[in-house]
Amino acid sequence: MTVSQFCTDKEITDLYNRHVDMVYRISLMLLKNIADAEDATQTTFIKLIASNTLFSNEEHEKRWLIFVTKNICKDMLKSAWHFLIVAKILTS
């Protein structure tokens, strides 16, 4: 069982409020789809809460979020489901 570094709902809310715009903008830039960007943003913060990563400062926290967000978006773009939807849109 992993224990999150965040002890209170307030800590999680503060972190979310600090970085949600950045994570969403990165996701939207990479995925070019609002719904997928929202899903990637949610997945990023779920991974953060579930991880046991300890950050040395706010910059480390930000770098981690950027790295994870980019990887989640890349995984979504590689998925067969995403490929089928894009192919269907392009042929319509």
Side-chain angles (χ1 to χ4, degrees), residues 33-71:
N33 179 304
I34 292 172
D36 288 344
E38 290 171 351
D39 289 345
T41 301
Q42 178 180 345
T43 303
T44 300
F45 283 100
I46 289 171
K47 282 191 177 211
L48 175 66
I49 292 167
S51 77
N52 60 356
T53 307
L54 294 174
F55 301 113
S56 54
N57 55 39
E58 197 171 316
E59 278 302 308
H60 181 210
E61 187 178 271
K62 185 177 178 178
R63 283 192 310 270
W64 188 93
L65 285 166
I66 291 169
F67 183 79
V68 170
T69 301
K70 287 169 60 177
N71 285 338

PDB file of all heavy atoms in Angstrom, residues 33-71:
ATOM      1  N   ASN A  33      -7.967  18.223 -28.204  1.00  0.00           N
ATOM      2  CA  ASN A  33      -9.343  17.796 -27.993  1.00  0.00           C
ATOM      3  C   ASN A  33      -9.698  18.094 -26.543  1.00  0.00           C
ATOM      4  O   ASN A  33      -9.013  17.637 -25.629  1.00  0.00           O
ATOM      5  CB  ASN A  33      -9.448  16.296 -28.295  1.00  0.00           C
ATOM      6  CG  ASN A  33     -10.825  15.755 -28.088  1.00  0.00           C
ATOM      7  OD1 ASN A  33     -11.407  15.884 -27.009  1.00  0.00           O
ATOM      8  ND2 ASN A  33     -11.362  15.120 -29.110  1.00  0.00           N
ATOM      9  N   ILE A  34     -10.764  18.843 -26.334  1.00  0.00           N
ATOM     10  CA  ILE A  34     -11.129  19.283 -24.981  1.00  0.00           C
ATOM     11  C   ILE A  34     -11.426  18.107 -24.062  1.00  0.00           C
ATOM     12  O   ILE A  34     -10.928  18.056 -22.936  1.00  0.00           O
ATOM     13  CB  ILE A  34     -12.319  20.265 -25.040  1.00  0.00           C
ATOM     14  CG1 ILE A  34     -11.868  21.569 -25.703  1.00  0.00           C
ATOM     15  CG2 ILE A  34     -12.887  20.529 -23.657  1.00  0.00           C
ATOM     16  CD1 ILE A  34     -12.986  22.546 -25.995  1.00  0.00           C
ATOM     17  N   ALA A  35     -12.225  17.157 -24.519  1.00  0.00           N
ATOM     18  CA  ALA A  35     -12.593  16.018 -23.666  1.00  0.00           C
ATOM     19  C   ALA A  35     -11.367  15.186 -23.293  1.00  0.00           C
ATOM     20  O   ALA A  35     -11.213  14.793 -22.129  1.00  0.00           O
ATOM     21  CB  ALA A  35     -13.629  15.147 -24.368  1.00  0.00           C
ATOM     22  N   ASP A  36     -10.498  14.925 -24.255  1.00  0.00           N
ATOM     23  CA  ASP A  36      -9.282  14.160 -23.963  1.00  0.00           C
ATOM     24  C   ASP A  36      -8.358  14.929 -23.022  1.00  0.00           C
ATOM     25  O   ASP A  36      -7.733  14.346 -22.135  1.00  0.00           O
ATOM     26  CB  ASP A  36      -8.526  13.821 -25.256  1.00  0.00           C
ATOM     27  CG  ASP A  36      -9.227  12.757 -26.075  1.00  0.00           C
ATOM     28  OD1 ASP A  36     -10.109  12.062 -25.528  1.00  0.00           O
ATOM     29  OD2 ASP A  36      -8.889  12.616 -27.268  1.00  0.00           O
ATOM     30  N   ALA A  37      -8.283  16.247 -23.198  1.00  0.00           N
ATOM     31  CA  ALA A  37      -7.448  17.070 -22.317  1.00  0.00           C
ATOM     32  C   ALA A  37      -7.969  17.033 -20.880  1.00  0.00           C
ATOM     33  O   ALA A  37      -7.187  16.961 -19.923  1.00  0.00           O
ATOM     34  CB  ALA A  37      -7.389  18.502 -22.833  1.00  0.00           C
ATOM     35  N   GLU A  38      -9.277  17.050 -20.734  1.00  0.00           N
ATOM     36  CA  GLU A  38      -9.865  16.960 -19.391  1.00  0.00           C
ATOM     37  C   GLU A  38      -9.562  15.597 -18.765  1.00  0.00           C
ATOM     38  O   GLU A  38      -9.237  15.512 -17.574  1.00  0.00           O
ATOM     39  CB  GLU A  38     -11.368  17.200 -19.455  1.00  0.00           C
ATOM     40  CG  GLU A  38     -11.717  18.642 -19.773  1.00  0.00           C
ATOM     41  CD  GLU A  38     -13.194  18.858 -20.063  1.00  0.00           C
ATOM     42  OE1 GLU A  38     -13.952  17.861 -20.191  1.00  0.00           O
ATOM     43  OE2 GLU A  38     -13.597  20.032 -20.183  1.00  0.00           O
ATOM     44  N   ASP A  39      -9.663  14.535 -19.557  1.00  0.00           N
ATOM     45  CA  ASP A  39      -9.342  13.193 -19.053  1.00  0.00           C
ATOM     46  C   ASP A  39      -7.873  13.095 -18.639  1.00  0.00           C
ATOM     47  O   ASP A  39      -7.550  12.524 -17.593  1.00  0.00           O
ATOM     48  CB  ASP A  39      -9.631  12.126 -20.111  1.00  0.00           C
ATOM     49  CG  ASP A  39     -11.115  11.922 -20.345  1.00  0.00           C
ATOM     50  OD1 ASP A  39     -11.917  12.383 -19.507  1.00  0.00           O
ATOM     51  OD2 ASP A  39     -11.459  11.293 -21.375  1.00  0.00           O
ATOM     52  N   ALA A  40      -6.977  13.646 -19.451  1.00  0.00           N
ATOM     53  CA  ALA A  40      -5.550  13.606 -19.139  1.00  0.00           C
ATOM     54  C   ALA A  40      -5.243  14.403 -17.870  1.00  0.00           C
ATOM     55  O   ALA A  40      -4.431  13.975 -17.042  1.00  0.00           O
ATOM     56  CB  ALA A  40      -4.741  14.141 -20.310  1.00  0.00           C
ATOM     57  N   THR A  41      -5.908  15.533 -17.718  1.00  0.00           N
ATOM     58  CA  THR A  41      -5.711  16.352 -16.519  1.00  0.00           C
ATOM     59  C   THR A  41      -6.157  15.583 -15.280  1.00  0.00           C
ATOM     60  O   THR A  41      -5.440  15.533 -14.267  1.00  0.00           O
ATOM     61  CB  THR A  41      -6.500  17.674 -16.640  1.00  0.00           C
ATOM     62  OG1 THR A  41      -6.034  18.377 -17.795  1.00  0.00           O
ATOM     63  CG2 THR A  41      -6.328  18.538 -15.406  1.00  0.00           C
ATOM     64  N   GLN A  42      -7.316  14.957 -15.352  1.00  0.00           N
ATOM     65  CA  GLN A  42      -7.813  14.174 -14.228  1.00  0.00           C
ATOM     66  C   GLN A  42      -6.864  13.025 -13.904  1.00  0.00           C
ATOM     67  O   GLN A  42      -6.522  12.796 -12.739  1.00  0.00           O
ATOM     68  CB  GLN A  42      -9.198  13.634 -14.546  1.00  0.00           C
ATOM     69  CG  GLN A  42      -9.770  12.763 -13.465  1.00  0.00           C
ATOM     70  CD  GLN A  42     -11.157  12.244 -13.803  1.00  0.00           C
ATOM     71  OE1 GLN A  42     -11.823  12.732 -14.701  1.00  0.00           O
ATOM     72  NE2 GLN A  42     -11.599  11.238 -13.081  1.00  0.00           N
ATOM     73  N   THR A  43      -6.416  12.317 -14.922  1.00  0.00           N
ATOM     74  CA  THR A  43      -5.513  11.178 -14.716  1.00  0.00           C
ATOM     75  C   THR A  43      -4.203  11.624 -14.087  1.00  0.00           C
ATOM     76  O   THR A  43      -3.657  10.946 -13.205  1.00  0.00           O
ATOM     77  CB  THR A  43      -5.247  10.468 -16.061  1.00  0.00           C
ATOM     78  OG1 THR A  43      -6.492  10.074 -16.623  1.00  0.00           O
ATOM     79  CG2 THR A  43      -4.356   9.253 -15.881  1.00  0.00           C
ATOM     80  N   THR A  44      -3.696  12.779 -14.508  1.00  0.00           N
ATOM     81  CA  THR A  44      -2.449  13.307 -13.942  1.00  0.00           C
ATOM     82  C   THR A  44      -2.583  13.527 -12.442  1.00  0.00           C
ATOM     83  O   THR A  44      -1.721  13.117 -11.659  1.00  0.00           O
ATOM     84  CB  THR A  44      -2.053  14.619 -14.641  1.00  0.00           C
ATOM     85  OG1 THR A  44      -1.860  14.370 -16.027  1.00  0.00           O
ATOM     86  CG2 THR A  44      -0.791  15.195 -14.041  1.00  0.00           C
ATOM     87  N   PHE A  45      -3.667  14.151 -12.028  1.00  0.00           N
ATOM     88  CA  PHE A  45      -3.833  14.440 -10.597  1.00  0.00           C
ATOM     89  C   PHE A  45      -4.153  13.178  -9.792  1.00  0.00           C
ATOM     90  O   PHE A  45      -3.745  13.069  -8.635  1.00  0.00           O
ATOM     91  CB  PHE A  45      -4.863  15.549 -10.381  1.00  0.00           C
ATOM     92  CG  PHE A  45      -4.292  16.898 -10.689  1.00  0.00           C
ATOM     93  CD1 PHE A  45      -4.547  17.520 -11.897  1.00  0.00           C
ATOM     94  CD2 PHE A  45      -3.443  17.535  -9.787  1.00  0.00           C
ATOM     95  CE1 PHE A  45      -3.990  18.751 -12.205  1.00  0.00           C
ATOM     96  CE2 PHE A  45      -2.877  18.768 -10.081  1.00  0.00           C
ATOM     97  CZ  PHE A  45      -3.147  19.376 -11.286  1.00  0.00           C
ATOM     98  N   ILE A  46      -4.817  12.225 -10.391  1.00  0.00           N
ATOM     99  CA  ILE A  46      -5.044  10.950  -9.705  1.00  0.00           C
ATOM    100  C   ILE A  46      -3.710  10.248  -9.473  1.00  0.00           C
ATOM    101  O   ILE A  46      -3.453   9.722  -8.386  1.00  0.00           O
ATOM    102  CB  ILE A  46      -6.020  10.066 -10.502  1.00  0.00           C
ATOM    103  CG1 ILE A  46      -7.428  10.655 -10.432  1.00  0.00           C
ATOM    104  CG2 ILE A  46      -5.995   8.628  -9.998  1.00  0.00           C
ATOM    105  CD1 ILE A  46      -8.426   9.986 -11.349  1.00  0.00           C
ATOM    106  N   LYS A  47      -2.839  10.269 -10.483  1.00  0.00           N
ATOM    107  CA  LYS A  47      -1.511   9.661 -10.326  1.00  0.00           C
ATOM    108  C   LYS A  47      -0.713  10.381  -9.253  1.00  0.00           C
ATOM    109  O   LYS A  47       0.010   9.756  -8.480  1.00  0.00           O
ATOM    110  CB  LYS A  47      -0.737   9.683 -11.648  1.00  0.00           C
ATOM    111  CG  LYS A  47      -1.170   8.615 -12.596  1.00  0.00           C
ATOM    112  CD  LYS A  47      -0.210   8.499 -13.759  1.00  0.00           C
ATOM    113  CE  LYS A  47      -0.677   7.362 -14.634  1.00  0.00           C
ATOM    114  NZ  LYS A  47       0.383   6.686 -15.313  1.00  0.00           N
ATOM    115  N   LEU A  48      -0.824  11.693  -9.200  1.00  0.00           N
ATOM    116  CA  LEU A  48      -0.104  12.462  -8.185  1.00  0.00           C
ATOM    117  C   LEU A  48      -0.568  12.083  -6.788  1.00  0.00           C
ATOM    118  O   LEU A  48       0.252  11.840  -5.895  1.00  0.00           O
ATOM    119  CB  LEU A  48      -0.305  13.959  -8.416  1.00  0.00           C
ATOM    120  CG  LEU A  48       0.291  14.868  -7.349  1.00  0.00           C
ATOM    121  CD1 LEU A  48       1.811  14.778  -7.356  1.00  0.00           C
ATOM    122  CD2 LEU A  48      -0.157  16.297  -7.557  1.00  0.00           C
ATOM    123  N   ILE A  49      -1.865  12.014  -6.602  1.00  0.00           N
ATOM    124  CA  ILE A  49      -2.406  11.692  -5.281  1.00  0.00           C
ATOM    125  C   ILE A  49      -2.031  10.263  -4.881  1.00  0.00           C
ATOM    126  O   ILE A  49      -1.712   9.995  -3.729  1.00  0.00           O
ATOM    127  CB  ILE A  49      -3.938  11.908  -5.269  1.00  0.00           C
ATOM    128  CG1 ILE A  49      -4.240  13.401  -5.404  1.00  0.00           C
ATOM    129  CG2 ILE A  49      -4.555  11.349  -3.992  1.00  0.00           C
ATOM    130  CD1 ILE A  49      -5.689  13.711  -5.721  1.00  0.00           C
ATOM    131  N   ALA A  50      -2.042   9.356  -5.841  1.00  0.00           N
ATOM    132  CA  ALA A  50      -1.741   7.950  -5.549  1.00  0.00           C
ATOM    133  C   ALA A  50      -0.246   7.687  -5.377  1.00  0.00           C
ATOM    134  O   ALA A  50       0.136   6.679  -4.779  1.00  0.00           O
ATOM    135  CB  ALA A  50      -2.282   7.070  -6.659  1.00  0.00           C
ATOM    136  N   SER A  51       0.581   8.586  -5.884  1.00  0.00           N
ATOM    137  CA  SER A  51       2.030   8.344  -5.806  1.00  0.00           C
ATOM    138  C   SER A  51       2.547   8.657  -4.411  1.00  0.00           C
ATOM    139  O   SER A  51       1.907   9.340  -3.619  1.00  0.00           O
ATOM    140  CB  SER A  51       2.765   9.207  -6.832  1.00  0.00           C
ATOM    141  OG  SER A  51       2.859  10.540  -6.385  1.00  0.00           O
ATOM    142  N   ASN A  52       3.724   8.155  -4.148  1.00  0.00           N
ATOM    143  CA  ASN A  52       4.360   8.478  -2.859  1.00  0.00           C
ATOM    144  C   ASN A  52       5.561   9.382  -3.093  1.00  0.00           C
ATOM    145  O   ASN A  52       6.509   9.375  -2.324  1.00  0.00           O
ATOM    146  CB  ASN A  52       4.746   7.211  -2.102  1.00  0.00           C
ATOM    147  CG  ASN A  52       5.717   6.359  -2.886  1.00  0.00           C
ATOM    148  OD1 ASN A  52       6.058   6.669  -4.024  1.00  0.00           O
ATOM    149  ND2 ASN A  52       6.184   5.290  -2.289  1.00  0.00           N
ATOM    150  N   THR A  53       5.506  10.170  -4.156  1.00  0.00           N
ATOM    151  CA  THR A  53       6.585  11.072  -4.512  1.00  0.00           C
ATOM    152  C   THR A  53       6.652  12.228  -3.522  1.00  0.00           C
ATOM    153  O   THR A  53       5.649  12.870  -3.242  1.00  0.00           O
ATOM    154  CB  THR A  53       6.370  11.638  -5.932  1.00  0.00           C
ATOM    155  OG1 THR A  53       6.167  10.564  -6.824  1.00  0.00           O
ATOM    156  CG2 THR A  53       7.539  12.473  -6.373  1.00  0.00           C
ATOM    157  N   LEU A  54       7.851  12.462  -3.020  1.00  0.00           N
ATOM    158  CA  LEU A  54       8.066  13.610  -2.149  1.00  0.00           C
ATOM    159  C   LEU A  54       8.805  14.673  -2.942  1.00  0.00           C
ATOM    160  O   LEU A  54       9.833  14.397  -3.555  1.00  0.00           O
ATOM    161  CB  LEU A  54       8.884  13.216  -0.920  1.00  0.00           C
ATOM    162  CG  LEU A  54       8.207  12.246   0.040  1.00  0.00           C
ATOM    163  CD1 LEU A  54       9.163  11.828   1.132  1.00  0.00           C
ATOM    164  CD2 LEU A  54       6.950  12.865   0.627  1.00  0.00           C
ATOM    165  N   PHE A  55       8.286  15.879  -2.935  1.00  0.00           N
ATOM    166  CA  PHE A  55       8.875  16.961  -3.701  1.00  0.00           C
ATOM    167  C   PHE A  55       9.714  17.845  -2.800  1.00  0.00           C
ATOM    168  O   PHE A  55       9.325  18.149  -1.681  1.00  0.00           O
ATOM    169  CB  PHE A  55       7.779  17.797  -4.371  1.00  0.00           C
ATOM    170  CG  PHE A  55       6.907  16.996  -5.292  1.00  0.00           C
ATOM    171  CD1 PHE A  55       5.571  16.786  -4.999  1.00  0.00           C
ATOM    172  CD2 PHE A  55       7.430  16.436  -6.442  1.00  0.00           C
ATOM    173  CE1 PHE A  55       4.765  16.051  -5.851  1.00  0.00           C
ATOM    174  CE2 PHE A  55       6.630  15.690  -7.301  1.00  0.00           C
ATOM    175  CZ  PHE A  55       5.303  15.504  -7.000  1.00  0.00           C
ATOM    176  N   SER A  56      10.852  18.263  -3.332  1.00  0.00           N
ATOM    177  CA  SER A  56      11.739  19.110  -2.534  1.00  0.00           C
ATOM    178  C   SER A  56      11.270  20.566  -2.523  1.00  0.00           C
ATOM    179  O   SER A  56      11.526  21.293  -1.568  1.00  0.00           O
ATOM    180  CB  SER A  56      13.175  19.026  -3.056  1.00  0.00           C
ATOM    181  OG  SER A  56      13.204  19.327  -4.437  1.00  0.00           O
ATOM    182  N   ASN A  57      10.596  20.983  -3.598  1.00  0.00           N
ATOM    183  CA  ASN A  57      10.068  22.353  -3.663  1.00  0.00           C
ATOM    184  C   ASN A  57       8.973  22.405  -4.729  1.00  0.00           C
ATOM    185  O   ASN A  57       8.679  21.410  -5.378  1.00  0.00           O
ATOM    186  CB  ASN A  57      11.181  23.367  -3.959  1.00  0.00           C
ATOM    187  CG  ASN A  57      11.950  23.029  -5.219  1.00  0.00           C
ATOM    188  OD1 ASN A  57      11.375  22.584  -6.205  1.00  0.00           O
ATOM    189  ND2 ASN A  57      13.257  23.228  -5.177  1.00  0.00           N
ATOM    190  N   GLU A  58       8.416  23.581  -4.915  1.00  0.00           N
ATOM    191  CA  GLU A  58       7.310  23.728  -5.859  1.00  0.00           C
ATOM    192  C   GLU A  58       7.760  23.520  -7.307  1.00  0.00           C
ATOM    193  O   GLU A  58       6.994  23.021  -8.139  1.00  0.00           O
ATOM    194  CB  GLU A  58       6.665  25.112  -5.694  1.00  0.00           C
ATOM    195  CG  GLU A  58       5.295  25.189  -6.323  1.00  0.00           C
ATOM    196  CD  GLU A  58       4.553  26.469  -5.972  1.00  0.00           C
ATOM    197  OE1 GLU A  58       4.572  26.861  -4.805  1.00  0.00           O
ATOM    198  OE2 GLU A  58       3.961  27.043  -6.901  1.00  0.00           O
ATOM    199  N   GLU A  59       8.998  23.868  -7.625  1.00  0.00           N
ATOM    200  CA  GLU A  59       9.514  23.646  -8.982  1.00  0.00           C
ATOM    201  C   GLU A  59       9.619  22.152  -9.293  1.00  0.00           C
ATOM    202  O   GLU A  59       9.315  21.725 -10.402  1.00  0.00           O
ATOM    203  CB  GLU A  59      10.881  24.319  -9.159  1.00  0.00           C
ATOM    204  CG  GLU A  59      10.801  25.791  -9.478  1.00  0.00           C
ATOM    205  CD  GLU A  59      10.000  26.078 -10.731  1.00  0.00           C
ATOM    206  OE1 GLU A  59      10.281  25.466 -11.782  1.00  0.00           O
ATOM    207  OE2 GLU A  59       9.090  26.920 -10.669  1.00  0.00           O
ATOM    208  N   HIS A  60      10.056  21.385  -8.318  1.00  0.00           N
ATOM    209  CA  HIS A  60      10.141  19.929  -8.492  1.00  0.00           C
ATOM    210  C   HIS A  60       8.747  19.357  -8.728  1.00  0.00           C
ATOM    211  O   HIS A  60       8.554  18.510  -9.605  1.00  0.00           O
ATOM    212  CB  HIS A  60      10.792  19.304  -7.258  1.00  0.00           C
ATOM    213  CG  HIS A  60      10.956  17.831  -7.332  1.00  0.00           C
ATOM    214  ND1 HIS A  60      10.936  17.039  -6.212  1.00  0.00           N
ATOM    215  CD2 HIS A  60      11.139  16.983  -8.376  1.00  0.00           C
ATOM    216  CE1 HIS A  60      11.089  15.774  -6.584  1.00  0.00           C
ATOM    217  NE2 HIS A  60      11.217  15.717  -7.881  1.00  0.00           N
ATOM    218  N   GLU A  61       7.789  19.845  -7.991  1.00  0.00           N
ATOM    219  CA  GLU A  61       6.383  19.445  -8.133  1.00  0.00           C
ATOM    220  C   GLU A  61       5.887  19.753  -9.556  1.00  0.00           C
ATOM    221  O   GLU A  61       5.283  18.903 -10.218  1.00  0.00           O
ATOM    222  CB  GLU A  61       5.599  20.260  -7.104  1.00  0.00           C
ATOM    223  CG  GLU A  61       4.177  19.957  -6.900  1.00  0.00           C
ATOM    224  CD  GLU A  61       3.642  20.865  -5.799  1.00  0.00           C
ATOM    225  OE1 GLU A  61       3.715  20.470  -4.621  1.00  0.00           O
ATOM    226  OE2 GLU A  61       3.155  21.961  -6.124  1.00  0.00           O
ATOM    227  N   LYS A  62       6.205  20.949 -10.033  1.00  0.00           N
ATOM    228  CA  LYS A  62       5.782  21.379 -11.364  1.00  0.00           C
ATOM    229  C   LYS A  62       6.433  20.523 -12.450  1.00  0.00           C
ATOM    230  O   LYS A  62       5.756  20.093 -13.389  1.00  0.00           O
ATOM    231  CB  LYS A  62       6.150  22.858 -11.551  1.00  0.00           C
ATOM    232  CG  LYS A  62       5.680  23.465 -12.833  1.00  0.00           C
ATOM    233  CD  LYS A  62       6.037  24.950 -12.854  1.00  0.00           C
ATOM    234  CE  LYS A  62       5.629  25.581 -14.165  1.00  0.00           C
ATOM    235  NZ  LYS A  62       5.933  27.025 -14.172  1.00  0.00           N
ATOM    236  N   ARG A  63       7.728  20.265 -12.330  1.00  0.00           N
ATOM    237  CA  ARG A  63       8.427  19.435 -13.322  1.00  0.00           C
ATOM    238  C   ARG A  63       7.840  18.034 -13.373  1.00  0.00           C
ATOM    239  O   ARG A  63       7.669  17.455 -14.447  1.00  0.00           O
ATOM    240  CB  ARG A  63       9.932  19.365 -13.013  1.00  0.00           C
ATOM    241  CG  ARG A  63      10.691  20.601 -13.409  1.00  0.00           C
ATOM    242  CD  ARG A  63      12.192  20.393 -13.352  1.00  0.00           C
ATOM    243  NE  ARG A  63      12.672  19.809 -12.122  1.00  0.00           N
ATOM    244  CZ  ARG A  63      13.056  20.486 -11.045  1.00  0.00           C
ATOM    245  NH1 ARG A  63      13.018  21.804 -11.060  1.00  0.00           N
ATOM    246  NH2 ARG A  63      13.487  19.872  -9.965  1.00  0.00           N
ATOM    247  N   TRP A  64       7.526  17.470 -12.213  1.00  0.00           N
ATOM    248  CA  TRP A  64       6.931  16.135 -12.150  1.00  0.00           C
ATOM    249  C   TRP A  64       5.589  16.123 -12.875  1.00  0.00           C
ATOM    250  O   TRP A  64       5.303  15.221 -13.655  1.00  0.00           O
ATOM    251  CB  TRP A  64       6.774  15.705 -10.691  1.00  0.00           C
ATOM    252  CG  TRP A  64       6.347  14.291 -10.508  1.00  0.00           C
ATOM    253  CD1 TRP A  64       7.164  13.216 -10.333  1.00  0.00           C
ATOM    254  CD2 TRP A  64       5.001  13.779 -10.472  1.00  0.00           C
ATOM    255  NE1 TRP A  64       6.409  12.071 -10.193  1.00  0.00           N
ATOM    256  CE2 TRP A  64       5.077  12.386 -10.271  1.00  0.00           C
ATOM    257  CE3 TRP A  64       3.751  14.370 -10.578  1.00  0.00           C
ATOM    258  CZ2 TRP A  64       3.949  11.585 -10.183  1.00  0.00           C
ATOM    259  CZ3 TRP A  64       2.625  13.569 -10.500  1.00  0.00           C
ATOM    260  CH2 TRP A  64       2.731  12.192 -10.302  1.00  0.00           C
ATOM    261  N   LEU A  65       4.761  17.124 -12.614  1.00  0.00           N
ATOM    262  CA  LEU A  65       3.446  17.202 -13.247  1.00  0.00           C
ATOM    263  C   LEU A  65       3.560  17.342 -14.769  1.00  0.00           C
ATOM    264  O   LEU A  65       2.810  16.711 -15.503  1.00  0.00           O
ATOM    265  CB  LEU A  65       2.645  18.371 -12.671  1.00  0.00           C
ATOM    266  CG  LEU A  65       2.074  18.134 -11.281  1.00  0.00           C
ATOM    267  CD1 LEU A  65       1.610  19.448 -10.667  1.00  0.00           C
ATOM    268  CD2 LEU A  65       0.939  17.128 -11.323  1.00  0.00           C
ATOM    269  N   ILE A  66       4.500  18.153 -15.237  1.00  0.00           N
ATOM    270  CA  ILE A  66       4.700  18.318 -16.680  1.00  0.00           C
ATOM    271  C   ILE A  66       5.120  16.994 -17.306  1.00  0.00           C
ATOM    272  O   ILE A  66       4.578  16.569 -18.335  1.00  0.00           O
ATOM    273  CB  ILE A  66       5.735  19.425 -16.971  1.00  0.00           C
ATOM    274  CG1 ILE A  66       5.166  20.789 -16.596  1.00  0.00           C
ATOM    275  CG2 ILE A  66       6.168  19.406 -18.442  1.00  0.00           C
ATOM    276  CD1 ILE A  66       6.188  21.913 -16.590  1.00  0.00           C
ATOM    277  N   PHE A  67       6.060  16.319 -16.692  1.00  0.00           N
ATOM    278  CA  PHE A  67       6.575  15.042 -17.197  1.00  0.00           C
ATOM    279  C   PHE A  67       5.455  14.001 -17.272  1.00  0.00           C
ATOM    280  O   PHE A  67       5.268  13.337 -18.295  1.00  0.00           O
ATOM    281  CB  PHE A  67       7.710  14.570 -16.287  1.00  0.00           C
ATOM    282  CG  PHE A  67       8.367  13.305 -16.727  1.00  0.00           C
ATOM    283  CD1 PHE A  67       9.294  13.312 -17.740  1.00  0.00           C
ATOM    284  CD2 PHE A  67       8.049  12.098 -16.117  1.00  0.00           C
ATOM    285  CE1 PHE A  67       9.911  12.139 -18.156  1.00  0.00           C
ATOM    286  CE2 PHE A  67       8.646  10.921 -16.522  1.00  0.00           C
ATOM    287  CZ  PHE A  67       9.584  10.940 -17.542  1.00  0.00           C
ATOM    288  N   VAL A  68       4.700  13.870 -16.209  1.00  0.00           N
ATOM    289  CA  VAL A  68       3.617  12.883 -16.155  1.00  0.00           C
ATOM    290  C   VAL A  68       2.510  13.246 -17.148  1.00  0.00           C
ATOM    291  O   VAL A  68       1.986  12.375 -17.848  1.00  0.00           O
ATOM    292  CB  VAL A  68       3.067  12.756 -14.714  1.00  0.00           C
ATOM    293  CG1 VAL A  68       1.799  11.925 -14.682  1.00  0.00           C
ATOM    294  CG2 VAL A  68       4.123  12.147 -13.801  1.00  0.00           C
ATOM    295  N   THR A  69       2.170  14.513 -17.240  1.00  0.00           N
ATOM    296  CA  THR A  69       1.136  14.951 -18.178  1.00  0.00           C
ATOM    297  C   THR A  69       1.517  14.605 -19.615  1.00  0.00           C
ATOM    298  O   THR A  69       0.706  14.065 -20.377  1.00  0.00           O
ATOM    299  CB  THR A  69       0.896  16.475 -18.055  1.00  0.00           C
ATOM    300  OG1 THR A  69       0.498  16.773 -16.716  1.00  0.00           O
ATOM    301  CG2 THR A  69      -0.166  16.954 -19.031  1.00  0.00           C
ATOM    302  N   LYS A  70       2.758  14.907 -19.982  1.00  0.00           N
ATOM    303  CA  LYS A  70       3.217  14.600 -21.344  1.00  0.00           C
ATOM    304  C   LYS A  70       3.160  13.100 -21.618  1.00  0.00           C
ATOM    305  O   LYS A  70       2.746  12.674 -22.695  1.00  0.00           O
ATOM    306  CB  LYS A  70       4.628  15.138 -21.553  1.00  0.00           C
ATOM    307  CG  LYS A  70       4.659  16.648 -21.683  1.00  0.00           C
ATOM    308  CD  LYS A  70       6.041  17.243 -21.625  1.00  0.00           C
ATOM    309  CE  LYS A  70       6.939  16.742 -22.706  1.00  0.00           C
ATOM    310  NZ  LYS A  70       8.272  17.391 -22.683  1.00  0.00           N
ATOM    311  N   ASN A  71       3.559  12.287 -20.656  1.00  0.00           N
ATOM    312  CA  ASN A  71       3.523  10.835 -20.846  1.00  0.00           C
ATOM    313  C   ASN A  71       2.098  10.304 -20.958  1.00  0.00           C
ATOM    314  O   ASN A  71       1.822   9.419 -21.774  1.00  0.00           O
ATOM    315  CB  ASN A  71       4.276  10.126 -19.727  1.00  0.00           C
ATOM    316  CG  ASN A  71       5.770  10.260 -19.886  1.00  0.00           C
ATOM    317  OD1 ASN A  71       6.276  10.508 -20.979  1.00  0.00           O
ATOM    318  ND2 ASN A  71       6.490  10.116 -18.792  1.00  0.00           N
TER     319      ASN A  71
END
